[in-house]
Amino acid sequence: MDLQGVGALVAAGVAAVSVPATLLIGRWQTKAAVQTARAATAQAEATYRAALDAVRVQGLNEYDQWRRGIQRDAYASLLQAVLNYTEHATNVFGQSMTDPHQFPALIAASKPLATDMSHKRLVVRLEGPEEVSAAALSLVDTAEALMQTCRDWASSGLARTLLDERGSAHRREVDRIKDLIATFRIRGYWSLIGTPQLPDDAAAILRELRSLLRAVDMSGGHIASLCNEQSAGAYGDAASTLDSAIGHFLTVARTTLHRGPHPVTDPLSPADPSGPRQ
């Protein structure tokens, strides 16, 4: 075989050996490129998820702060409404001793305050939580109890004032009314009005009282005010109960606002089947 033939055979052999080597090297290179791409993809996904988690946490924190702000405003608004209402109740109590005739106007002025307090209480009930809502209900009830005490006191004062004013022209009728009221109160008949237990003599007193009041230009509705006379100590007891209710409401509201983050549903959480899949 000449040299050209030998060279051709050698070149063919080298080519035969180099082809698998080239394929092997190419496979290694491809595998390395795939691994690098996978690593880059994993890194990019991890970076994306970390950024997404950070945004999610920030969003939840901002939502929690927003919720606390809404609740704080609701609690403060209710407390202010209660204070406005009970301050007016105190005015009703005080005016009844200085100018009893102001009673109807004062009671009319209390109605918008009562409506506002009731509305603020409903807002607290909506915002929750339940323990704050319960404390708010107790607070409003004690405020209403204080107003009722002041209302009864003022109504009684106005009725006595009107009766005294009738005395100059109707002395005999007024004296008789006072005697009957004293008898009615001493015997405890007041609590039996409207019940089957009201004795016949009490019913007879009521009929006479209505007749006498009409004679002095007063209505039968004043009988309740004249009989249901409040003591000054009743106001102090109601005010003390209100102070306790305010303190309890503040304690419960403060505990709620200062506790850990509110539980919220994260719409992006993997546990939420309705959330988007990444």
Side-chain angles (χ1 to χ4, degrees):
M1 180 179 298
D2 57 15
L3 292 177
Q4 290 182 345
V6 173
L9 289 174
V10 171
V14 171
V17 173
S18 64
V19 169
T22 301
L23 292 175
L24 182 60
I25 293 172
R27 182 178 179 183
W28 287 345
Q29 291 175 339
T30 302
K31 184 177 181 180
V34 170
Q35 291 177 342
T36 301
R38 287 177 177 173
T41 301
Q43 180 63 36
E45 184 176 356
T47 301
Y48 168 75
R49 289 191 175 278
L52 184 63
D53 289 341
V55 171
R56 180 185 298 122
V57 170
Q58 180 181 357
L60 294 178
N61 288 338
E62 291 177 353
Y63 173 80
D64 186 67
Q65 292 176 5
W66 173 78
R67 284 284 293 117
R68 289 178 192 276
I70 293 295
Q71 289 179 322
R72 184 183 297 106
D73 291 344
Y75 302 163
S77 295
L78 172 62
L79 185 58
Q80 186 61 59
V82 168
L83 293 177
N84 292 341
Y85 185 68
T86 53
E87 181 180 358
H88 187 76
T90 301
N91 290 336
V92 171
F93 183 82
Q95 285 288 340
S96 68
M97 292 184 285
T98 58
D99 187 4
H101 291 284
Q102 291 297 317
F103 171 70
L106 289 170
I107 294 303
S110 72
K111 293 180 179 179
L113 297 175
T115 300
D116 182 60
M117 182 178 65
S118 178
H119 171 73
K120 299 294 175 53
R121 193 266 160 186
L122 289 177
V123 174
V124 171
R125 183 179 180 184
L126 287 172
E127 292 298 329
E130 185 59 34
E131 56 267 26
V132 178
S133 178
L137 176 59
S138 177
L139 177 60
V140 170
D141 286 345
T142 56
E144 289 286 6
L146 176 65
M147 176 60 83
Q148 186 60 53
T149 298
C150 296
R151 186 184 294 118
D152 291 342
W153 173 275
S155 176
S156 178
L158 175 60
R160 291 194 306 270
T161 299
L162 292 175
L163 191 61
D164 290 339
E165 290 173 351
R166 303 302 193 270
S168 59
H170 305 277
R171 174 52 56 189
R172 186 177 61 180
E173 290 86 350
V174 168
D175 289 343
R176 178 60 177 167
I177 290 172
K178 289 181 178 180
D179 289 341
L180 291 176
I181 289 295
T183 300
F184 206 81
R185 191 186 302 120
I186 291 172
R187 294 182 182 180
Y189 290 157
W190 169 243
S191 61
L192 300 178
I193 293 179
T195 69
Q197 289 75 31
L198 184 69
D200 292 339
D201 60 335
I205 291 175
L206 282 177
R207 289 193 295 271
E208 185 176 358
L209 277 173
R210 292 190 181 100
S211 177
L212 289 169
L213 287 170
R214 285 195 298 270
V216 299
D217 196 25
M218 292 178 65
S219 70
H222 287 107
I223 295 175
S225 299
L226 291 169
C227 291
N228 190 27
E229 186 174 2
Q230 295 287 321
S231 66
Y235 172 81
D237 293 341
S240 177
T241 302
L242 174 67
D243 288 341
S244 298
I246 290 175
H248 177 63
F249 177 77
L250 287 173
T251 298
V252 175
R254 188 180 299 113
T255 300
T256 297
L257 293 174
H258 292 176
R259 69 175 47 151
H262 294 329
V264 293
T265 301
D266 180 4
L268 298 179
S269 172
D272 183 1
S274 63
R277 299 181 180 275
Q278 301 298 330

